[in-house]
Amino acid sequence: MDKCTNEEQLFDLIEENKAIISEEEVGCAFNILWQFQKQKTGLLKSVECIRNHPQFLTLYNLTTNKMELMNDDNLVNVLYQIQQFAVESHDPLVEALVTEAWRRLERFEMNVLAKFSTCLADQHLQFSPLMGKIADIVSRNLETIQDLRSLSVLMVSISSLTSQRFQEQLVKKTELLFDTIDSSQVNIARRIVQFLRNIKYSYYPLLERCNKVFLSNVNDLDLDFISKIFSLYHSLQFHNFQFILVTKKRLIEMIPLFDQPATFVKLFVVLGPVAGPEEKKRLESTILLMSEELTSQQALAVIGAMEEMESRNLRLIKRIASILHKNLENYKPIELLKITQALIVLHFQSKEFFVKLRELLLSYLKISVKTSEISILVCAISKLPSPHLDEVGISRIEAILPQCDLNDLNSLATSVLRWIHYGHVYPDNTTGKQLKLLQKLDHYGHQRLQKYNNLNSLCEELKSLKGDWFSESLLEETVATLQRLVDEINYRNVAGIAYFISRTNYLNTLLLDKIASVVLQQIEKIHPFAIFAIILPFSTLNYDPPQRDEFFGTCIQHLNSYLSLLDPLRIVFLGFFLATLEYFPEDLLKTIFNIKQIGRLDSQLEILYSTLNRKVQFRLMELNRAVCLECPEYQIPWFHDRFCQQLYNKDIGSLNGAQQQIYKMLAEVLGGINCVKASVLTPYYHPIDFECILDKRKKPLPYGSHNITLGKLPEMHWESNTQIVGSRLPPGAERIALEFLDIRAFCRNIPHLKGKSAMKKRHLEILGYRVIQIPHLEWNSMALSTKDARMDYLRERIFGDGKS
């Protein structure tokens, strides 16, 4: 058999010797057949050809007769090879092999057990009693397992049946065995990452070690492998700048190698979102040329990638949309949602397309019984240009409410709110029913929260919760539930809880104090990457926990050894979070503003989508400004003049209703319109709503013609951006900044100033301003319901005791 050079020779040999072939030779035959297949390109077609060969049936019958004589390794190998030839899982031989393997299960070696578990997984038996038995065997023998290759295979197969305690044991065992593998074992590392994805655990120590394996073998990674890792990292929210950078280079080298739609689409999907402008053009041009050959699934993959790329290639958008249009009936509900979202983001307009899409979604909705599917369909319908649902749709939603989790409820409520919002455009009698439906959603949401008795389960549902409905209807109840379960906060869930709190803008000192306490007690168990999420709520909500200096000091000390390994983007955000809290660790700042680090950040900005790119640049500017103003002793230069000039090149912004009202009253209070300036830019480019100057007798000073007007740059007002304001004033005079603070400046539940607003106040005071902040709650209160009361309020704030 080993001397055969093709399938026909092997099949001839089997035909001639079928009477004397042993059980070992049956296994050998299957193995050699599969080796031949792996060398071919048209694998599926070839597999079908082999399976239909008369002598394949001979092998099939020989296997049936001799399986009980096969040793364990041979038995499982034959099962594995038969499945590779696409023999159905309900085939009698496959069922017989599985049954025979089950009978021998307890005596299997770990490598045999691992391969058998893969066979079961391929048959979609991850939740079967048989897979449960395998999980039990792994659990009982975990201490003696020394082969990480076999263990990694088993971990992926049994991941759906593992408890949290068992998961932690598997992770710990993997860490112990990791150094026993060769650094070239990329498939073992991939399976470990896949296991972490399956159990939804972003365990950074293992992810980092696996990432090092991928980086050291990047030149050997093919497109399929890189695509798989990108997908796994995305699911785990593990963003490694170095991996993206080196694989991007490798993927760009692959562009000329692929000229078939199947492979080029895969390259387009992986490379497109991280490619530079020139590469994006090449990719889009090539995919346009191939568009006639794309299948429905390939078109779906392309439109998803174009959404991430923020593509503006109208010709390509229309071409892909036409393919999607022809195949709409073939897509599943989740795929229709992806199509809807992508085309809306890409500003695609076609009445005919959206009418057909809407009809299709409604037809699915009328027959669907799955909770998640109905939630997806309703979400897709609500995003269409005509987000309107009839009574049948409303009744479908009502029917599934008792089975919905918080994410489903939130998605449904967001959709209902869209319909209510558009009610005046499409008036009918369903608006009242939609309001009643919203009340029912509130009821089930509260009911679900009250029943929670496990914090980790709650955390899983809270990960992606956001939106107006959740904030208005469920936030109080959610915080109360978190408070009830506060003792369950530990090193594993503390970052998730902290990140959730930061998104709510809800200040709860009990929860934040508990987070700080857990960090101080269990810092050694918390990965440094988790520090970002932990610090975020304290920064956002402007809250100092007890033992403030010890808490922040511990967090920064824990991060120090990782500074050189962190993505530039992460370090910028971390520096900004700490700056809002008046915390400026010198080592961190010197790392951020190192020229080499700024260069790395520029490289990373090239692969970020535009919204995040702008946000990172803005945060770097804000951090640069904070350090220059609050820590001049660090001698970090201000280098954002050009950026700020581009940012504020147009008008700073028109005044809203409340600001216009205040402007007119200030003019009256100060004795004329020439005594107050609106929309002013300070040195270091802080925009302020209003500015005025009082002399030493508290008399307003009029502005001369040299002063700035709305929208002009501060160079016209100041000799230099770094000059302190007071130096230009007459002796004893003071410059006053008046800021109207809307709801965004305060915590949601109490009138406590948030971090960015508090930092701005500090900066203006350093620049020589007396800062008067006018909270919207005070300005709109009953006490200030008349013009005279408001005028008196402004006079008191400006000319009173001088306090802000």
Side-chain angles (χ1 to χ4, degrees):
M1 286 182 182
D2 286 335
K3 293 176 182 177
C4 294
T5 57
N6 57 57
E7 296 93 336
E8 287 303 325
Q9 285 185 11
L10 183 64
F11 281 140
D12 288 344
L13 197 63
I14 291 167
E15 171 62 21
E16 292 167 9
N17 299 279
K18 59 186 175 186
I20 60 166
I21 286 179
S22 68
E23 64 275 10
E24 287 86 357
E25 287 162 343
V26 169
C28 182
F30 274 114
N31 190 51
I32 292 170
L33 272 179
W34 182 239
Q35 295 306 317
F36 287 147
Q37 303 321 298
K38 289 197 292 185
Q39 297 166 14
K40 299 182 180 180
T41 51
L43 192 60
L44 283 176
K45 187 177 179 182
S46 179
V47 161
E48 188 177 344
C49 191
I50 295 299
R51 199 176 63 242
N52 293 331
H53 196 285
Q55 297 314 315
F56 188 84
L57 181 59
T58 303
L59 267 180
Y60 180 103
N61 293 330
L62 284 167
T63 305
T64 304
N65 296 331
K66 296 180 181 292
M67 74 171 72
E68 291 183 11
L69 300 173
M70 292 178 179
N71 64 37
D72 298 341
D73 193 23
N74 200 14
L75 178 81
V76 173
N77 269 331
V78 168
L79 173 62
Y80 180 79
Q81 306 295 0
I82 284 177
Q83 287 185 211
Q84 300 311 305
F85 285 106
V87 177
E88 298 288 347
S89 56
H90 55 75
D91 183 273
L93 176 57
V94 174
E95 290 180 346
L97 286 165
V98 169
T99 303
E100 180 63 23
W102 192 341
R103 191 175 61 79
R104 307 180 187 188
L105 205 58
E106 288 287 351
R107 75 186 198 202
F108 277 173
E109 297 288 335
M110 279 300 149
N111 63 321
V112 178
L113 191 69
K115 181 168 275 192
F116 182 52
S117 73
T118 300
C119 295
L120 296 179
D122 289 343
Q123 293 183 39
H124 308 293
L125 294 173
Q126 292 93 330
F127 295 96
S128 65
L130 181 48
M131 193 69 88
K133 183 67 176 171
I134 292 173
D136 178 58
I137 292 171
V138 175
S139 178
R140 285 188 277 116
N141 294 277
L142 190 58
E143 286 188 16
T144 61
I145 296 174
Q146 297 302 317
D147 177 16
L148 186 54
R149 181 185 177 282
S150 298
L151 180 61
S152 66
V153 173
L154 286 161
M155 285 162 59
V156 172
S157 299
I158 66 173
S159 55
S160 302
L161 302 173
T162 52
S163 65
Q164 184 176 322
R165 182 171 173 273
F166 189 19
Q167 289 167 10
E168 290 176 352
Q169 290 173 335
L170 289 168
V171 166
K172 187 176 179 181
K173 184 68 176 181
T174 303
E175 285 187 291
L176 289 172
L177 294 178
F178 203 93
D179 291 332
T180 66
I181 65 168
D182 188 87
S183 61
S184 64
Q185 296 293 323
V186 291
N187 283 318
I188 294 177
R190 175 188 55 77
R191 285 191 290 268
I192 292 168
V193 176
Q194 192 170 341
F195 169 72
L196 292 173
R197 192 279 308 270
N198 288 357
I199 65 171
K200 299 177 181 177
Y201 185 20
S202 298
Y203 185 64
Y204 289 117
L206 265 184
L207 286 172
E208 286 176 320
R209 294 174 82 173
C210 292
N211 193 66
K212 284 181 181 177
V213 173
F214 302 144
L215 289 173
S216 63
N217 294 279
V218 71
N219 292 328
D220 300 320
L221 304 184
D222 62 16
L223 176 59
D224 285 337
F225 195 98
I226 294 172
S227 175
K228 181 70 173 176
I229 299 304
F230 263 73
S231 175
L232 293 172
Y233 279 2
H234 179 75
S235 297
L236 287 163
Q237 296 186 311
F238 177 72
H239 307 290
N240 184 272
F241 169 58
Q242 191 180 0
F243 179 77
I244 294 173
L245 212 59
V246 297
T247 51
K248 174 186 170 183
K249 182 182 176 184
R250 175 112 174 93
L251 291 167
I252 290 171
E253 292 168 356
M254 293 180 187
I255 293 178
L257 304 179
F258 300 116
D259 56 2
Q260 295 300 314
T263 48
F264 195 84
V265 165
K266 189 169 286 189
L267 179 67
F268 184 90
V269 169
V270 181
L271 178 57
V274 298
E278 290 304 313
E279 287 83 31
K280 282 183 181 178
K281 284 182 182 177
R282 283 178 67 190
L283 290 168
E284 289 180 334
S285 299
T286 306
I287 209 75
L288 187 59
L289 293 173
M290 293 181 176
S291 59
E292 294 289 342
E293 304 172 62
L294 296 182
T295 66
S296 60
Q297 285 302 308
Q298 288 165 355
L300 177 66
V302 168
I303 202 71
M306 290 174 68
E307 178 189 2
E308 283 190 69
M309 294 160 65
E310 301 174 314
S311 175
R312 292 295 174 261
N313 189 322
L314 295 178
R315 192 175 165 203
L316 181 59
I317 293 169
K318 288 179 180 178
R319 184 72 203 103
I320 300 301
S322 71
I323 300 170
L324 298 172
H325 193 185
K326 289 175 188 174
N327 293 280
L328 275 181
E329 293 88 349
N330 301 326
Y331 292 115
K332 299 172 185 175
I334 186 65
E335 293 170 336
L336 292 175
L337 175 59
K338 289 177 182 177
I339 290 168
T340 306
Q341 289 174 329
L343 292 178
I344 289 171
V345 169
L346 295 172
H347 306 296
F348 174 73
Q349 294 180 338
S350 167
K351 184 177 180 181
E352 182 188 359
F353 185 102
F354 286 121
V355 166
K356 184 176 178 181
L357 180 57
R358 178 181 170 76
E359 289 173 356
L360 194 60
L361 289 166
L362 287 169
S363 68
Y364 274 131
L365 183 60
K366 288 174 182 176
I367 60 171
S368 180
V369 293
K370 293 180 181 177
T371 302
S372 57
E373 189 169 272
I374 290 173
S375 174
I376 287 165
L377 289 165
V378 168
C379 180
I381 293 167
S382 75
K383 289 177 180 287
L384 292 173
S386 308
H388 179 62
L389 199 65
D390 57 17
E391 293 185 28
V392 176
I394 292 173
S395 67
R396 300 300 296 148
I397 296 172
E398 289 177 332
I400 62 162
L401 290 182
Q403 288 82 45
C404 288
D405 63 15
L406 290 178
N407 282 297
D408 289 329
L409 293 171
N410 189 51
S411 174
L412 291 168
T414 302
S415 302
V416 173
L417 284 170
R418 283 196 195 102
W419 296 325
I420 293 171
H421 174 72
Y422 283 95
H424 66 281
V425 183
Y426 308 99
D428 63 12
N429 61 357
T430 59
T431 303
K433 294 187 178 183
Q434 291 167 358
L435 289 169
K436 288 180 182 178
L437 178 56
L438 206 56
Q439 291 174 344
K440 290 182 180 179
L441 285 159
D442 289 356
H443 168 74
Y444 280 104
H446 283 276
Q447 194 178 67
R448 188 167 181 85
L449 283 165
Q450 288 161 6
K451 289 179 180 177
Y452 263 107
N453 55 15
N454 181 283
L455 184 61
N456 290 328
S457 300
L458 176 59
C459 284
E460 195 57 41
E461 289 196 33
L462 294 180
K463 273 183 181 178
S464 56
L465 276 188
K466 56 185 176 182
D468 292 341
W469 176 76
F470 173 75
S471 299
E472 297 298 331
S473 301
L474 291 190
L475 185 53
E476 291 275 355
E477 188 72 52
T478 303
V479 173
T481 305
L482 288 172
Q483 224 171 278
R484 175 165 54 83
L485 302 171
V486 69
D487 291 336
E488 293 184 32
I489 297 178
N490 57 39
Y491 72 94
R492 186 166 177 175
N493 58 32
V494 66
I497 299 292
Y499 180 64
F500 170 75
I501 292 171
S502 68
R503 291 190 290 119
T504 64
N505 289 325
Y506 193 102
L507 180 58
N508 183 287
T509 57
L510 175 69
L511 290 173
L512 291 175
D513 290 350
K514 178 65 176 179
I515 287 169
S517 170
V518 168
V519 169
L520 287 172
Q521 291 169 16
Q522 303 182 30
I523 189 67
E524 294 305 320
K525 295 181 179 179
I526 298 171
H527 193 274
F529 284 4
I531 297 300
F532 298 93
I534 288 168
I535 288 175
L536 185 55
F538 298 93
S539 164
T540 304
L541 302 173
N542 186 31
Y543 178 71
D544 286 336
Q547 301 171 293
R548 172 191 189 273
D549 291 337
E550 185 185 356
F551 170 65
F552 292 125
T554 299
C555 287
I556 296 307
Q557 187 178 358
H558 196 51
L559 259 177
N560 273 341
S561 61
Y562 271 77
L563 288 181
S564 61
L565 304 174
L566 293 174
D567 284 357
L569 177 153
R570 283 178 175 271
I571 306 181
V572 168
F573 279 113
L574 177 65
F576 173 76
F577 298 157
L578 293 169
T580 62
L581 292 157
E582 294 184 83
Y583 203 85
F584 297 91
E586 188 171 2
D587 288 345
L588 176 67
L589 294 170
K590 294 273 173 82
T591 300
I592 293 171
F593 292 104
N594 177 283
I595 291 177
K596 186 177 178 182
Q597 185 75 2
I598 294 293
R600 290 183 71 222
L601 179 63
D602 284 340
S603 298
Q604 189 169 17
L605 289 175
E606 291 177 8
I607 62 176
L608 298 180
Y609 57 89
S610 60
T611 308
L612 183 56
N613 184 308
R614 287 192 294 271
K615 186 175 181 180
V616 174
Q617 291 189 69
F618 194 74
R619 287 289 180 265
L620 181 65
M621 181 276 288
E622 290 180 303
L623 177 59
N624 188 199
R625 176 170 61 197
V627 174
C628 289
L629 286 170
E630 300 192 62
C631 300
E633 67 275 13
Y634 290 167
Q635 297 185 323
I636 291 171
W638 167 252
F639 57 92
H640 277 91
D641 263 335
R642 182 180 296 178
F643 173 78
C644 289
Q645 287 166 13
Q646 291 171 347
L647 194 66
Y648 296 113
N649 201 29
K650 297 178 181 178
D651 289 352
I652 298 171
S654 57
L655 301 179
N656 61 34
Q659 288 170 325
Q660 289 178 8
Q661 199 178 46
I662 295 170
Y663 189 32
K664 291 175 184 176
M665 291 184 187
L666 282 172
E668 290 187 50
V669 167
L670 294 168
I673 200 77
N674 63 334
C675 291
V676 59
K677 284 289 178 187
S679 296
V680 177
L681 280 173
T682 73
Y684 297 103
Y685 299 86
H686 264 307
I688 53 177
D689 294 336
F690 309 103
E691 180 194 276
C692 64
I693 302 171
L694 303 184
D695 66 14
K696 61 184 178 182
R697 294 183 296 276
K698 291 192 177 292
K699 181 181 177 182
L701 293 177
Y703 285 88
S705 60
H706 66 284
N707 292 305
I708 69 168
T709 56
L710 180 63
K712 294 293 180 67
L713 296 174
E715 283 81 358
M716 300 180 69
H717 192 32
W718 311 104
E719 289 180 1
S720 74
N721 281 324
T722 56
Q723 186 174 353
I724 299 301
V725 175
S727 63
R728 304 262 331 252
L729 299 177
E734 65 175 350
R735 198 183 301 271
I736 299 173
L738 294 101
E739 286 275 279
F740 178 76
L741 301 181
D742 62 18
I743 192 170
R744 293 170 297 179
F746 298 96
C747 297
R748 176 175 288 275
N749 53 324
I750 57 174
H752 175 79
L753 205 61
K754 286 163 62 179
K756 284 191 68 175
S757 298
M759 180 168 68
K760 183 176 180 179
K761 184 173 186 288
R762 293 198 309 270
H763 290 180
L764 293 177
E765 288 170 345
I766 291 170
L767 287 167
Y769 282 99
R770 171 159 68 93
V771 183
I772 298 173
Q773 294 180 324
I774 305 172
H776 70 101
L777 288 172
E778 287 185 18
W779 188 252
N780 297 318
S781 65
M782 288 298 293
L784 301 183
S785 58
T786 65
K787 181 182 176 182
D788 288 343
R790 286 177 167 176
M791 296 280 281
D792 289 342
Y793 172 84
L794 290 173
R795 288 192 190 94
E796 176 60 29
R797 298 298 303 273
I798 297 170
F799 302 113
D801 56 11
K803 294 180 181 178
S804 58

